[in-house]
Short mmCIF file of all heavy atoms in Angstrom, two decimals:
data_model
loop_
_atom_site.label_atom_id
_atom_site.label_comp_id
_atom_site.label_asym_id
_atom_site.label_seq_id
_atom_site.Cartn_x
_atom_site.Cartn_y
_atom_site.Cartn_z
N CYS A 446 137.34 14.55 110.65
CA CYS A 446 136.52 15.53 109.93
C CYS A 446 136.46 15.19 108.44
O CYS A 446 135.40 15.30 107.81
CB CYS A 446 137.08 16.94 110.12
SG CYS A 446 136.89 17.60 111.79
N ALA A 447 137.60 14.77 107.88
CA ALA A 447 137.61 14.38 106.46
C ALA A 447 136.69 13.20 106.23
O ALA A 447 136.03 13.10 105.19
CB ALA A 447 139.03 14.05 106.03
N GLY A 448 136.63 12.28 107.21
CA GLY A 448 135.75 11.13 107.07
C GLY A 448 134.29 11.46 107.26
O GLY A 448 133.42 10.90 106.57
N ILE A 449 133.99 12.37 108.17
CA ILE A 449 132.59 12.82 108.35
C ILE A 449 132.11 13.46 107.05
O ILE A 449 130.96 13.26 106.63
CB ILE A 449 132.49 13.79 109.53
CG1 ILE A 449 132.82 13.05 110.84
CG2 ILE A 449 131.09 14.40 109.62
CD1 ILE A 449 132.99 13.97 112.04
N ASN A 450 133.00 14.25 106.42
CA ASN A 450 132.86 14.62 105.01
C ASN A 450 131.59 15.39 104.69
O ASN A 450 130.92 15.15 103.68
CB ASN A 450 132.93 13.36 104.14
CG ASN A 450 133.78 13.56 102.90
OD1 ASN A 450 134.02 14.70 102.49
ND2 ASN A 450 134.21 12.48 102.30
N THR A 451 131.25 16.33 105.55
CA THR A 451 130.16 17.27 105.29
C THR A 451 130.76 18.67 105.19
O THR A 451 131.92 18.88 105.58
CB THR A 451 129.13 17.23 106.42
OG1 THR A 451 129.78 17.64 107.66
CG2 THR A 451 128.53 15.84 106.59
N PRO A 452 130.01 19.65 104.68
CA PRO A 452 130.56 21.01 104.64
C PRO A 452 131.05 21.49 105.99
O PRO A 452 132.12 22.12 106.08
CB PRO A 452 129.37 21.83 104.13
CG PRO A 452 128.60 20.88 103.28
CD PRO A 452 128.72 19.55 103.96
N ALA A 453 130.31 21.21 107.06
CA ALA A 453 130.73 21.64 108.40
C ALA A 453 132.02 20.96 108.82
O ALA A 453 132.92 21.58 109.40
CB ALA A 453 129.63 21.34 109.42
N ALA A 454 132.14 19.66 108.53
CA ALA A 454 133.33 18.91 108.94
C ALA A 454 134.57 19.35 108.16
O ALA A 454 135.66 19.50 108.73
CB ALA A 454 133.09 17.41 108.73
N ILE A 455 134.42 19.57 106.85
CA ILE A 455 135.57 20.01 106.06
C ILE A 455 135.98 21.43 106.46
O ILE A 455 137.17 21.75 106.49
CB ILE A 455 135.23 19.95 104.55
CG1 ILE A 455 134.93 18.50 104.14
CG2 ILE A 455 136.38 20.49 103.72
CD1 ILE A 455 136.05 17.52 104.41
N THR A 456 135.00 22.27 106.81
CA THR A 456 135.31 23.60 107.34
C THR A 456 136.16 23.47 108.60
O THR A 456 137.19 24.15 108.75
CB THR A 456 134.02 24.36 107.66
OG1 THR A 456 133.27 24.56 106.46
CG2 THR A 456 134.32 25.71 108.30
N ALA A 457 135.76 22.59 109.50
CA ALA A 457 136.51 22.37 110.74
C ALA A 457 137.91 21.86 110.43
O ALA A 457 138.89 22.30 111.06
CB ALA A 457 135.76 21.38 111.63
N ALA A 458 138.03 20.94 109.48
CA ALA A 458 139.34 20.37 109.14
C ALA A 458 140.32 21.43 108.66
O ALA A 458 141.48 21.49 109.09
CB ALA A 458 139.17 19.28 108.08
N ILE A 459 139.86 22.30 107.76
CA ILE A 459 140.76 23.33 107.21
C ILE A 459 141.15 24.34 108.29
O ILE A 459 142.31 24.75 108.39
CB ILE A 459 140.09 24.03 106.01
CG1 ILE A 459 139.83 23.01 104.89
CG2 ILE A 459 140.97 25.17 105.49
CD1 ILE A 459 139.02 23.56 103.74
N LEU A 460 140.19 24.73 109.11
CA LEU A 460 140.49 25.68 110.18
C LEU A 460 141.44 25.05 111.20
O LEU A 460 142.34 25.73 111.73
CB LEU A 460 139.20 26.14 110.86
CG LEU A 460 138.32 27.06 110.03
CD1 LEU A 460 137.00 27.34 110.76
CD2 LEU A 460 139.02 28.39 109.73
N LEU A 461 141.26 23.77 111.49
CA LEU A 461 142.18 23.09 112.41
C LEU A 461 143.60 23.08 111.86
O LEU A 461 144.57 23.28 112.60
CB LEU A 461 141.70 21.65 112.65
CG LEU A 461 140.53 21.46 113.61
CD1 LEU A 461 139.97 20.05 113.50
CD2 LEU A 461 140.94 21.75 115.05
N ILE A 462 143.74 22.85 110.56
CA ILE A 462 145.07 22.86 109.94
C ILE A 462 145.74 24.22 110.14
O ILE A 462 146.91 24.31 110.51
CB ILE A 462 144.96 22.53 108.44
CG1 ILE A 462 144.60 21.05 108.25
CG2 ILE A 462 146.27 22.85 107.71
CD1 ILE A 462 144.30 20.66 106.81
N ILE A 463 144.98 25.29 109.92
CA ILE A 463 145.54 26.65 110.02
C ILE A 463 145.94 26.98 111.45
O ILE A 463 147.10 27.34 111.74
CB ILE A 463 144.52 27.68 109.50
CG1 ILE A 463 144.26 27.47 108.01
CG2 ILE A 463 145.02 29.10 109.76
CD1 ILE A 463 143.10 28.29 107.47
N PHE A 464 144.99 26.86 112.38
CA PHE A 464 145.24 27.30 113.76
C PHE A 464 146.25 26.40 114.47
O PHE A 464 147.08 26.87 115.25
CB PHE A 464 143.93 27.36 114.54
CG PHE A 464 142.98 28.40 114.04
CD1 PHE A 464 141.70 28.06 113.62
CD2 PHE A 464 143.35 29.73 113.97
CE1 PHE A 464 140.82 29.02 113.15
CE2 PHE A 464 142.48 30.70 113.50
CZ PHE A 464 141.22 30.34 113.09
N HIS A 465 146.18 25.10 114.20
CA HIS A 465 147.12 24.18 114.84
C HIS A 465 148.55 24.45 114.39
O HIS A 465 149.49 24.41 115.20
CB HIS A 465 146.73 22.73 114.51
CG HIS A 465 147.69 21.72 115.05
ND1 HIS A 465 148.71 21.18 114.29
CD2 HIS A 465 147.81 21.17 116.28
CE1 HIS A 465 149.40 20.34 115.03
NE2 HIS A 465 148.88 20.30 116.23
N ALA A 466 148.74 24.74 113.11
CA ALA A 466 150.09 24.98 112.59
C ALA A 466 150.76 26.14 113.31
O ALA A 466 151.93 26.06 113.69
CB ALA A 466 150.03 25.24 111.09
N ILE A 467 150.01 27.22 113.51
CA ILE A 467 150.61 28.41 114.14
C ILE A 467 150.94 28.16 115.60
O ILE A 467 152.08 28.36 116.05
CB ILE A 467 149.64 29.61 114.02
CG1 ILE A 467 149.34 29.91 112.54
CG2 ILE A 467 150.23 30.84 114.69
CD1 ILE A 467 148.23 30.92 112.34
N SER A 468 149.96 27.72 116.37
CA SER A 468 150.15 27.57 117.81
C SER A 468 151.15 26.47 118.15
O SER A 468 151.94 26.61 119.08
CB SER A 468 148.81 27.29 118.50
OG SER A 468 147.94 28.39 118.35
N LYS A 469 151.13 25.36 117.39
CA LYS A 469 152.03 24.26 117.71
C LYS A 469 153.47 24.62 117.36
O LYS A 469 154.41 24.26 118.10
CB LYS A 469 151.57 23.00 116.99
CG LYS A 469 152.25 21.72 117.47
CD LYS A 469 152.10 21.49 118.97
CE LYS A 469 150.69 21.22 119.41
NZ LYS A 469 150.15 19.94 119.03
N ALA A 470 153.68 25.33 116.26
CA ALA A 470 155.03 25.79 115.94
C ALA A 470 155.55 26.69 117.04
O ALA A 470 156.71 26.58 117.47
CB ALA A 470 155.03 26.54 114.60
N LEU A 471 154.71 27.59 117.53
CA LEU A 471 155.10 28.50 118.60
C LEU A 471 155.48 27.74 119.86
O LEU A 471 156.51 28.03 120.50
CB LEU A 471 153.94 29.47 118.88
CG LEU A 471 154.13 30.45 120.03
CD1 LEU A 471 155.37 31.31 119.82
CD2 LEU A 471 152.89 31.33 120.17
N LEU A 472 154.71 26.74 120.22
CA LEU A 472 155.00 25.98 121.44
C LEU A 472 156.30 25.20 121.31
O LEU A 472 157.09 25.12 122.26
CB LEU A 472 153.84 25.02 121.75
CG LEU A 472 152.78 25.55 122.72
CD1 LEU A 472 151.64 24.56 122.87
CD2 LEU A 472 153.40 25.84 124.08
N PHE A 473 156.54 24.59 120.16
CA PHE A 473 157.79 23.86 119.98
C PHE A 473 159.00 24.78 120.11
O PHE A 473 160.00 24.43 120.76
CB PHE A 473 157.80 23.17 118.62
CG PHE A 473 157.36 21.74 118.66
CD1 PHE A 473 156.13 21.37 118.15
CD2 PHE A 473 158.17 20.77 119.22
CE1 PHE A 473 155.72 20.05 118.20
CE2 PHE A 473 157.77 19.45 119.27
CZ PHE A 473 156.54 19.08 118.75
N LEU A 474 158.92 25.94 119.50
CA LEU A 474 160.05 26.87 119.59
C LEU A 474 160.26 27.35 121.02
O LEU A 474 161.40 27.52 121.47
CB LEU A 474 159.83 28.05 118.64
CG LEU A 474 159.69 27.72 117.15
CD1 LEU A 474 159.70 29.00 116.32
CD2 LEU A 474 160.80 26.79 116.68
N CYS A 475 159.16 27.55 121.74
CA CYS A 475 159.28 27.95 123.15
C CYS A 475 159.94 26.85 123.98
O CYS A 475 160.82 27.13 124.80
CB CYS A 475 157.89 28.26 123.72
SG CYS A 475 157.20 29.84 123.19
N VAL A 476 159.53 25.61 123.76
CA VAL A 476 160.11 24.50 124.53
C VAL A 476 161.61 24.38 124.23
O VAL A 476 162.42 24.14 125.13
CB VAL A 476 159.38 23.18 124.22
CG1 VAL A 476 160.14 21.99 124.79
CG2 VAL A 476 157.98 23.20 124.78
#
Side-chain angles (χ1 to χ4, degrees):
C446 290
I449 295 170
N450 222 341
T451 62
I455 298 302
T456 298
I459 298 173
L460 289 174
L461 282 166
I462 289 173
I463 296 171
F464 294 122
H465 176 264
I467 301 170
S468 296
K469 192 56 66 71
L471 176 58
L472 266 176
F473 264 108
L474 299 189
C475 285
V476 169

